[in-house]
PDB file of all heavy atoms in Angstrom:
ATOM      1  N   ILE A 821     136.515-106.510-115.657  1.00 98.00           N
ATOM      2  CA  ILE A 821     135.121-106.360-116.133  1.00 98.00           C
ATOM      3  C   ILE A 821     135.107-106.240-117.520  1.00 98.00           C
ATOM      4  O   ILE A 821     135.474-105.137-118.146  1.00 98.00           O
ATOM      5  CB  ILE A 821     134.402-105.246-115.409  1.00 98.00           C
ATOM      6  CG1 ILE A 821     134.408-105.492-113.973  1.00 98.00           C
ATOM      7  CG2 ILE A 821     132.879-105.121-115.902  1.00 98.00           C
ATOM      8  CD1 ILE A 821     133.678-106.589-113.394  1.00 98.00           C
ATOM      9  N   THR A 822     134.836-107.111-118.365  1.00 98.00           N
ATOM     10  CA  THR A 822     134.818-107.110-119.792  1.00 98.00           C
ATOM     11  C   THR A 822     133.385-107.485-120.235  1.00 98.00           C
ATOM     12  O   THR A 822     132.590-107.945-119.578  1.00 98.00           O
ATOM     13  CB  THR A 822     135.730-108.188-120.339  1.00 98.00           C
ATOM     14  OG1 THR A 822     135.262-109.472-119.936  1.00 98.00           O
ATOM     15  CG2 THR A 822     137.201-108.012-119.934  1.00 98.00           C
ATOM     16  N   PRO A 823     133.181-106.994-121.491  1.00 98.00           N
ATOM     17  CA  PRO A 823     131.782-107.325-122.098  1.00 98.00           C
ATOM     18  C   PRO A 823     131.474-108.818-122.064  1.00 98.00           C
ATOM     19  O   PRO A 823     130.302-109.151-121.642  1.00 98.00           O
ATOM     20  CB  PRO A 823     131.893-106.851-123.545  1.00 98.00           C
ATOM     21  CG  PRO A 823     132.860-105.867-123.456  1.00 98.00           C
ATOM     22  CD  PRO A 823     134.042-106.188-122.497  1.00 98.00           C
ATOM     23  N   ASP A 824     132.466-109.617-122.256  1.00 98.00           N
ATOM     24  CA  ASP A 824     132.127-111.197-122.163  1.00 98.00           C
ATOM     25  C   ASP A 824     131.827-111.574-120.805  1.00 98.00           C
ATOM     26  O   ASP A 824     130.996-112.383-120.531  1.00 98.00           O
ATOM     27  CB  ASP A 824     133.429-111.896-122.697  1.00 98.00           C
ATOM     28  CG  ASP A 824     133.514-111.898-124.176  1.00 98.00           C
ATOM     29  OD1 ASP A 824     132.486-111.655-124.880  1.00 98.00           O
ATOM     30  OD2 ASP A 824     134.602-112.236-124.716  1.00 98.00           O
ATOM     31  N   LEU A 825     132.491-110.975-119.757  1.00 98.00           N
ATOM     32  CA  LEU A 825     132.233-111.315-118.405  1.00 98.00           C
ATOM     33  C   LEU A 825     130.877-110.805-117.975  1.00 98.00           C
ATOM     34  O   LEU A 825     130.058-111.523-117.265  1.00 98.00           O
ATOM     35  CB  LEU A 825     133.288-110.663-117.458  1.00 98.00           C
ATOM     36  CG  LEU A 825     133.231-111.085-115.969  1.00 98.00           C
ATOM     37  CD1 LEU A 825     133.305-112.519-115.770  1.00 98.00           C
ATOM     38  CD2 LEU A 825     134.211-110.348-115.183  1.00 98.00           C
ATOM     39  N   ILE A 826     130.476-109.679-118.338  1.00 98.00           N
ATOM     40  CA  ILE A 826     129.231-109.077-118.072  1.00 98.00           C
ATOM     41  C   ILE A 826     128.115-110.107-118.698  1.00 98.00           C
ATOM     42  O   ILE A 826     127.049-110.323-118.107  1.00 98.00           O
ATOM     43  CB  ILE A 826     128.994-107.633-118.587  1.00 98.00           C
ATOM     44  CG1 ILE A 826     129.840-106.702-117.697  1.00 98.00           C
ATOM     45  CG2 ILE A 826     127.571-107.205-118.554  1.00 98.00           C
ATOM     46  CD1 ILE A 826     129.932-105.340-118.175  1.00 98.00           C
ATOM     47  N   ARG A 827     128.341-110.454-120.040  1.00 98.00           N
ATOM     48  CA  ARG A 827     127.335-111.406-120.604  1.00 98.00           C
ATOM     49  C   ARG A 827     127.221-112.675-119.776  1.00 98.00           C
ATOM     50  O   ARG A 827     126.121-113.230-119.555  1.00 98.00           O
ATOM     51  CB  ARG A 827     127.720-111.572-121.990  1.00 98.00           C
ATOM     52  CG  ARG A 827     127.369-110.488-123.018  1.00 98.00           C
ATOM     53  CD  ARG A 827     127.363-110.819-124.332  1.00 98.00           C
ATOM     54  NE  ARG A 827     128.894-111.111-124.792  1.00 98.00           N
ATOM     55  CZ  ARG A 827     129.635-110.161-125.339  1.00 98.00           C
ATOM     56  NH1 ARG A 827     129.098-108.950-125.520  1.00 98.00           N
ATOM     57  NH2 ARG A 827     130.798-110.417-125.520  1.00 98.00           N
ATOM     58  N   SER A 828     128.446-113.125-119.347  1.00 98.00           N
ATOM     59  CA  SER A 828     128.344-114.420-118.477  1.00 98.00           C
ATOM     60  C   SER A 828     127.578-114.340-117.297  1.00 98.00           C
ATOM     61  O   SER A 828     126.874-115.081-116.765  1.00 98.00           O
ATOM     62  CB  SER A 828     129.793-114.903-118.303  1.00 98.00           C
ATOM     63  OG  SER A 828     130.426-115.223-119.457  1.00 98.00           O
ATOM     64  N   ALA A 829     127.869-113.060-116.606  1.00 98.00           N
ATOM     65  CA  ALA A 829     127.127-112.774-115.299  1.00 98.00           C
ATOM     66  C   ALA A 829     125.586-112.651-115.509  1.00 98.00           C
ATOM     67  O   ALA A 829     124.765-113.075-114.797  1.00 98.00           O
ATOM     68  CB  ALA A 829     127.664-111.514-114.708  1.00 98.00           C
ATOM     69  N   ALA A 830     125.250-112.134-116.596  1.00 98.00           N
ATOM     70  CA  ALA A 830     123.775-111.932-117.084  1.00 98.00           C
ATOM     71  C   ALA A 830     123.174-113.296-117.244  1.00 98.00           C
ATOM     72  O   ALA A 830     122.001-113.493-116.847  1.00 98.00           O
ATOM     73  CB  ALA A 830     123.620-111.003-118.327  1.00 98.00           C
ATOM     74  N   GLU A 831     123.869-114.121-117.975  1.00 98.00           N
ATOM     75  CA  GLU A 831     123.338-115.526-118.264  1.00 98.00           C
ATOM     76  C   GLU A 831     123.124-116.275-116.922  1.00 98.00           C
ATOM     77  O   GLU A 831     122.146-116.932-116.645  1.00 98.00           O
ATOM     78  CB  GLU A 831     124.327-116.149-119.214  1.00 98.00           C
ATOM     79  CG  GLU A 831     124.403-115.670-120.559  1.00 98.00           C
ATOM     80  CD  GLU A 831     123.129-116.058-121.500  1.00 98.00           C
ATOM     81  OE1 GLU A 831     122.298-116.941-120.992  1.00 98.00           O
ATOM     82  OE2 GLU A 831     123.065-115.615-122.583  1.00 98.00           O
ATOM     83  N   THR A 832     124.160-116.095-116.051  1.00 98.00           N
ATOM     84  CA  THR A 832     124.066-116.758-114.686  1.00 98.00           C
ATOM     85  C   THR A 832     123.094-116.421-113.793  1.00 98.00           C
ATOM     86  O   THR A 832     122.151-116.981-113.219  1.00 98.00           O
ATOM     87  CB  THR A 832     125.539-116.717-114.065  1.00 98.00           C
ATOM     88  OG1 THR A 832     126.427-117.288-114.770  1.00 98.00           O
ATOM     89  CG2 THR A 832     125.453-117.352-112.549  1.00 98.00           C
TER      90      THR A 832
END
Side-chain angles (χ1 to χ4, degrees):
I821 303 297
T822 64
D824 285 343
L825 182 62
I826 289 176
R827 281 193 292 271
S828 295
E831 294 282 353
T832 298

